[in-house]
Amino acid sequence: MKSRRNFLAALFACMTMGGNALAADGLSDKPIRIIVPFAAGANSDVVTRMIAQQVTDNGGPSFFIDNRPGGGGTVGAVAAKRAEPDGHTLFAANIATHAVLQSIQSLPYDPVKDFRPITELFYFPTYLIVPERLPVKSVSELIALAKAKPDGLSFGSQGIGSTPHLLGAMLQHEAGANLVHIPYAAGGGPMNIDLVAGRLDMVFSTYASMNPHRESGKVRFLAIASSKRSDVAPEVPTLAEAGYSGVELDNWFGRVAPAGTPDAVIDELNQLFVKAANDPAIVAKLKEQGITMATQSPAEFGALMAADAERVAKVVKATGIKLD
């Protein structure tokens, strides 16, 4: 993961230096608004508030959260794009708004030209999970079963273009197995319920959502769709270890600012958020939920967005995913 997250960083830094290199003014004393493209109470919203409070507790500025759900994140992104580029309106960017949606629909903003990256903050590793009733204990057994069944195996997701959908499409394409996508408009809750009940054959879901069912023996974690094993479930192999190195996509979240925000402000915000996100108490608390903290320079975050956008575009082209 480290090499992938860094491999475009130097190039991205060179591409984004122009126009702001001479700026010297930093943040003022007024509060900072963070536009969150999800409803209040969502997991990412809760973590966003936690990190913002830590910035304040560290002696930094105060924050207020402006929840703007809708359009898969586009409503909030457009609002942030139009804000004054002074560092006092930020956007809670995520893999959907800044790497996925541009490949499956026309967007009212440009993820690169309309924003400046500050830092990634955290990501939710995603696990390949099957119900207890499915007679498989490894990814190879799962793929063999999918190939043997005339109708294939079903996998659920929160909708077309969601991270679980893309991961399922990646696995189907790489393994050459028949996997049937079942989108859940109502979200991950009903999807996970159907998996536990045996009405789905597999899902890509999170540790926090499904570990209680794993501990009760109702589901099995076959693999993690990340570049390394998780600290909270180290016995679960990566999909690369299972023979599918191309099936990897972390559901990440970070901060970006409107285009035109001065370099000095971007650097100051980066330092504030990186320090807060690496506070030992926050790291420990989120680790219990299977959430991994991940911070870096603005250029490295820009490189991550570019790399995942390219990865998703290839999957969409290969599999014909469309947002109908």
Side-chain angles (χ1 to χ4, degrees), residues 120-187:
E120 181 189 8
L121 290 172
F122 59 94
Y123 63 92
F124 294 85
T126 308
Y127 296 82
L128 173 57
I129 305 171
V130 298
E132 182 276 334
R133 58 108 178 146
L134 207 68
V136 300
K137 294 185 178 180
S138 68
V139 179
S140 60
E141 291 180 359
L142 177 71
I143 297 304
L145 181 62
K147 290 181 177 180
K149 293 189 66 173
D151 296 330
L153 297 177
S154 62
F155 75 96
S157 84
Q158 293 92 331
I160 295 173
S162 63
T163 299
H165 178 210
L166 292 169
L167 286 167
M170 288 176 181
L171 183 59
Q172 180 178 17
H173 180 68
E174 190 161 318
N178 184 14
L179 303 179
V180 181
H181 178 221
I182 310 296
Y184 282 74

